Amino acid sequence: MKISQIMSTPVVTVGMDDRLQQVYEIFNKAKFHHLLVVDGRKLQGVVSDRDLLKALSPRVGSVMATDHDNASLNKRVHQIMSRKLVVINQNQTVLHAVKLFNTNNISCLPVVNDAGEWVGIVSWRDIFKKIEAMKS
C-alpha cells in the first residue's frame, strides 16, 4: 500500500515567522499533533505539540499565568521547529514508512511528491488506524 493512500490531507501549515500563539490555538482546536512549517510549496520544518509545550511556560492558559508567562506565546515558529526532517515520497510503501519511524525515533513523516513539494503528512497513528480498519 502506498503512503498516498493513508496520508492526511489537507495539511494545516504555519510559516516560520508565525507566532507560537497561532500554533497554540491550532493545537487547542485540532485533534492532531504536528504542523508542517512551509514557505509556499517548500517544506521548512515540523512543529509538534511537544515542541510547543517545551517552549511555553507551564502556566500559559491558566489563571496563574503572568505577563512573562504569556510572553512565551510571542516566540516565532522557527525558534522551536524541527529542521532535520525525515520525509517520505507519496509513492513509497507503508512498510518503508514503518522502517523510517523505527530507525529515526520520530512520530510523523512529511509526505512529498517527486518534485520535493509537501503534499501531506503521515503519523504512526495513521498506519495503526489503517491496519485496524483492514482487520474490521
Side-chain angles (χ1 to χ4, degrees), residues 3 15 25-26 38 40 47 62 69 81 85 100 113 117 135:
I3 286 298
E25 290 170 3
I26 291 169
V38 302
V47 173
S62 75
D69 295 321
M81 71 183 198
L85 298 177
L100 289 174
N113 61 19
E117 301 169 329
K135 296 296 178 184

Side-chain angles (χ1 to χ4, degrees), residues 2-132:
K2 289 185 178 182
I3 286 298
S4 59
Q5 296 173 276
I6 67 165
M7 68 184 184
S8 296
T9 59
V11 179
V12 178
T13 64
V14 292
M16 289 181 62
D17 288 326
D18 289 342
R19 297 188 187 280
L20 295 191
Q21 175 71 42
Q22 181 178 348
V23 175
Y24 180 77
E25 290 170 3
I26 291 169
F27 282 140
N28 279 338
K29 294 176 186 171
K31 294 185 179 186
F32 50 82
H33 306 279
H34 303 90
L35 295 171
L36 296 185
V37 182
V38 302
D39 182 10
R41 297 302 304 163
K42 186 174 181 189
L43 181 63
Q44 301 290 328
V46 172
V47 173
S48 72
D49 55 352
R50 289 171 302 195
D51 296 329
L52 180 66
L53 289 173
K54 288 181 206 171
L56 297 181
S57 165
R59 292 185 292 262
V60 166
S62 75
V63 294
M64 295 173 41
T66 66
D67 289 342
H68 180 73
D69 295 321
N70 289 329
S72 62
L73 291 167
N74 290 323
K75 290 180 184 175
R76 304 292 178 153
V77 169
H78 69 85
Q79 294 176 281
I80 70 163
M81 71 183 198
S82 299
R83 296 171 188 265
K84 295 182 180 179
L85 298 177
V86 178
V87 300
I88 191 165
N89 185 285
Q90 65 186 349
N91 296 313
Q92 289 283 358
T93 65
V94 171
L95 179 59
H96 184 70
V98 170
K99 290 176 184 176
L100 289 174
F101 282 126
N102 288 337
T103 57
N104 293 284
N105 194 27
I106 53 177
S107 56
C108 82
L109 288 165
V111 181
V112 297
N113 61 19
D114 291 335
E117 301 169 329
W118 61 271
V119 293
I121 191 168
V122 66
S123 71
W124 58 266
R125 284 186 176 102
D126 295 326
I127 294 172
F128 283 170
K129 287 177 187 175
K130 186 63 174 180
I131 291 169
E132 180 183 39

